[in-house]
Amino acid sequence: MTTAPTDASRANGAPPTDAEGPGDGHALFGPDSQFSALFDDPRWALAMIRATVLEAAHPQIGAALVDNSTFVAHPWRRLRNTFLSMRRMFDVDPAVREREAARLNRLHTRMSGSDSRGRAYDARDRATRAWVVATLFESAVTMCRMSGQPLSQDTMERMYAEYRAFLAALDGDAAALPEELHDFWRYFDRVVENELENTEAARVILFRLFDHLPAPALFDGAPTLWAVGRAVAGPLLGAITVASLPEPYRRRAGLPEMPGTRTLMQGVYVVAGLGRFLPEGWLNAESVIELLSLPAGSDDPRARTMAALQSRIKRASALLRLLGPLGGDPDPVPATDPEPSAAAGQVRRSAEEFFRQVLDQTGDGHLDWPDLAAMARELSTRLDLDEPEETRLYDAFAAWWRELQAALDTDGDGRVSAAEYAAAVPSLAGPALIRVAEVLFDVTDKDGDGTIDADEHRALFRTAFHRDLTTLHGTYGRSAFVSDFLSFMSARRTSTLYDPLLADA
């Protein structure tokens, strides 16, 4: 354990740099922190939604989300990555925190541009990053207050020190947030009053995301049941979130508040808070998220549990259709490939499906650089790449985007529409895409012998993507690996390898 922070470090706005709080013996990181105590609390899900809206209402963050985020098209994947990142940032091991902070900084360095009004945004802006941390802290305090279990002053002080330490891990210091908690509340009110706007990103989260939320893997094959549940839960979550937002922002943004929603909101928070009385270990946020997103065929031990749940969900969905037909298409039956597949378990998908499910990662109806950057980001995150390998992968995807833009952007607007893609029916397996596959092969071939052995193959697809691939005998050569990757990216076939990564929500 290191010594207490110096007066100089406190003068620079840095929180305590050791693993304990300021002189009270409470850990800032690890299992004894206030963050860890609340992480598995069901109320945290509601608080995260609220914090995300407050983040999105900031003009810089809202613009960055609209241009770069995959939260509309792939919300479950985004949720999983966010929880995993926060768990790492509050890990007791400083090496884990430093590695994750470096990854987040590299990710944010690649996000800059301008919004619809021509205002520049930069994801590395310190004041903006401080606001993200502020919304997480304030929403955690608010969720406890709304559920009738307000935090004591000492607990809030310790939690605030943790979140300032979180910011310091990202920015080198926490000077962008007030040092004292009583000053934080004035800072928070000032930003809400003077800086938040009714941004497009905030509107999408409140009024579009819940209404169009794609089914998680657990509800795959039961769209009727999911549609019914979403029709009820979507408006409820939206109303609760609006009611929980600061009143000055609701007024300025013109957000509707239906009669009784505040009582409903508090009731939901109270009910969710009852989860804290369950036996220890019954609720684990990370396990729940993994279970929701676990793809079919996973080697995860929980796959059997998910398969059993899916079977019951499908039966319930079929019964629901019999009892009260809702119209629309019935629950789908897996398509069959009219032609022999190059690999078992693959079926051909239409150009429209391929564009929507794979290429359009941000869900805005167009293909441009942020979509391919999202692919590179997801690969880098799942494989936990170091900076040199990550940069090589991003560079390869950037070259592929330039190649696609030159071939498919017929109207010269700087992006590729679904119509432009479908009309061209392109072969995407050009030199740049081959280079992407080669870089992916290189980062998988850890020993550099030019082949992928069983252990390296397992590390790529089993460990990183939770795929149980037992068909690899001997080694996997570069040409075979590249061929399989190109088959997925250009032949528009589903793939048991890459669909959970790039196509699933």
Side-chain angles (χ1 to χ4, degrees):
M1 183 181 303
T2 59
T3 59
T6 64
D7 292 339
S9 67
R10 298 298 293 274
N12 289 330
T17 56
D18 57 359
E20 294 187 353
D24 57 9
H26 292 276
L28 289 176
F29 300 105
D32 295 328
S33 66
Q34 289 300 313
F35 171 83
S36 294
L38 295 175
F39 188 81
D40 294 325
D41 192 314
R43 296 172 297 177
W44 188 240
L46 299 171
M48 284 287 288
I49 296 172
R50 179 181 184 277
T52 302
V53 173
L54 289 173
E55 293 170 20
H58 192 286
Q60 284 217 12
I61 300 172
L65 286 173
V66 167
D67 286 351
N68 299 279
S69 180
T70 62
F71 74 94
V72 173
H74 301 282
W76 300 108
R77 191 175 76 192
R78 170 68 186 272
L79 178 65
R80 176 191 178 277
N81 290 345
T82 298
F83 268 77
L84 177 60
S85 179
M86 292 192 68
R87 183 74 89 181
R88 289 173 176 172
M89 286 300 300
F90 282 91
D91 195 278
V92 69
D93 185 351
V96 173
R97 301 197 301 268
E98 291 169 5
R99 182 179 179 86
E100 180 63 13
R103 187 190 70 82
L104 290 173
N105 283 329
R106 293 197 303 270
L107 183 155
H108 290 134
T109 297
R110 298 183 173 99
M111 294 183 183
S112 60
S114 58
D115 65 11
S116 59
R117 295 166 57 181
R119 297 175 297 183
Y121 70 82
D122 186 342
R124 289 296 306 275
D125 179 73
R126 285 192 161 189
T128 303
R129 285 151 70 95
W131 177 245
V132 172
V133 176
T135 63
L136 293 171
F137 167 74
E138 190 272 346
S139 292
V141 173
T142 298
M143 81 176 189
C144 295
R145 176 172 52 82
M146 289 182 176
S147 53
Q149 294 288 326
L151 299 176
S152 68
Q153 184 67 24
D154 288 344
T155 301
M156 282 193 292
E157 294 279 0
R158 293 196 299 271
M159 184 184 295
Y160 187 57
E162 291 173 13
Y163 278 93
R164 291 190 79 242
F166 174 21
L167 180 60
L170 289 174
D171 275 351
D173 63 51
L177 281 180
E179 185 173 351
E180 301 297 335
L181 179 60
H182 63 82
D183 292 325
F184 169 82
W185 301 116
R186 288 194 290 269
Y187 154 82
F188 185 86
D189 291 342
R190 177 182 57 77
V191 175
V192 170
E193 288 276 4
N194 301 326
E195 298 185 34
L196 299 193
E197 299 178 0
N198 186 18
T199 64
E200 179 185 353
R203 293 194 300 272
V204 166
I205 297 171
L206 288 171
F207 305 118
R208 175 184 166 192
L209 182 60
F210 297 137
D211 290 340
H212 299 84
L213 191 67
L218 182 60
F219 287 83
D220 186 34
T224 301
L225 185 61
W226 176 254
V228 172
R230 183 178 59 191
V232 174
L236 177 64
L237 284 173
I240 290 172
T241 304
V242 168
S244 70
L245 296 173
E247 194 276 334
Y249 175 69
R250 292 201 316 269
R251 182 178 64 251
R252 189 165 63 257
L255 297 177
E257 183 178 353
M258 302 299 293
T261 53
R262 292 196 64 82
T263 301
L264 175 65
M265 170 194 66
Q266 291 177 331
V268 171
Y269 270 96
V270 169
V271 171
L274 295 178
R276 68 185 182 277
F277 295 114
L278 292 174
E280 186 176 355
W282 278 37
L283 285 178
N284 182 282
E286 200 166 338
S287 296
V288 171
I289 293 170
E290 289 287 1
L291 187 61
L292 284 171
S293 59
L294 208 59
S298 169
D299 72 330
D300 192 290
R302 294 163 294 185
R304 292 184 179 180
T305 301
M306 192 187 79
L309 288 173
Q310 282 181 323
S311 177
R312 288 172 172 78
I313 288 171
K314 288 180 181 179
R315 292 176 188 174
S317 184
L319 179 62
L320 186 63
R321 292 199 311 275
L322 290 174
L323 294 177
L326 298 176
D329 297 331
D331 293 349
V333 176
T336 56
D337 193 346
E339 302 174 5
S341 294
Q346 294 183 345
V347 295
R348 184 175 293 278
R349 66 175 123 219
S350 69
E352 179 183 351
E353 288 176 321
F354 182 73
F355 186 93
R356 176 175 53 84
Q357 296 176 359
V358 178
L359 295 180
D360 184 15
Q361 291 283 305
T362 59
D364 63 357
H366 294 86
L367 172 64
D368 54 11
W369 166 239
D371 296 301
L372 270 65
M375 294 185 195
R377 183 166 65 246
E378 188 65 18
L379 282 163
S380 300
T381 299
R382 291 290 188 100
L383 296 177
D384 198 19
L385 298 183
D386 290 323
E387 193 279 331
E389 295 173 327
E390 181 183 286
T391 298
R392 288 180 60 207
L393 191 62
Y394 269 90
D395 289 345
F397 270 97
W400 185 36
W401 164 239
R402 291 191 294 270
E403 187 177 87
L404 288 175
Q405 190 178 26
L408 305 182
D409 182 17
T410 57
D411 60 7
D413 65 351
R415 56 186 186 176
V416 176
S417 68
E420 287 173 326
Y421 170 76
V425 192
S427 172
L428 301 181
L433 183 58
I434 294 174
R435 178 57 181 158
V436 171
E438 289 177 337
V439 171
L440 187 57
F441 178 89
D442 290 340
V443 300
T444 306
D445 178 21
K446 296 297 186 182
D447 59 12
D449 66 352
T451 61
I452 295 176
D453 59 28
D455 289 339
E456 291 167 335
H457 192 259
R458 186 180 302 109
L460 173 62
F461 290 113
R462 185 177 180 186
T463 304
F465 305 145
H466 297 292
R467 311 305 300 167
D468 188 12
L469 304 176
T470 59
T471 57
L472 181 63
H473 301 287
T475 58
Y476 199 11
R478 178 183 293 267
S479 61
F481 181 94
V482 171
S483 176
D484 285 347
F485 184 77
L486 296 184
S487 176
F488 171 71
M489 294 303 299
S490 64
R492 298 192 300 276
R493 295 181 186 275
T494 61
S495 167
T496 57
L497 304 184
Y498 299 107
D499 264 87
L501 172 68
L502 298 176
D504 290 356

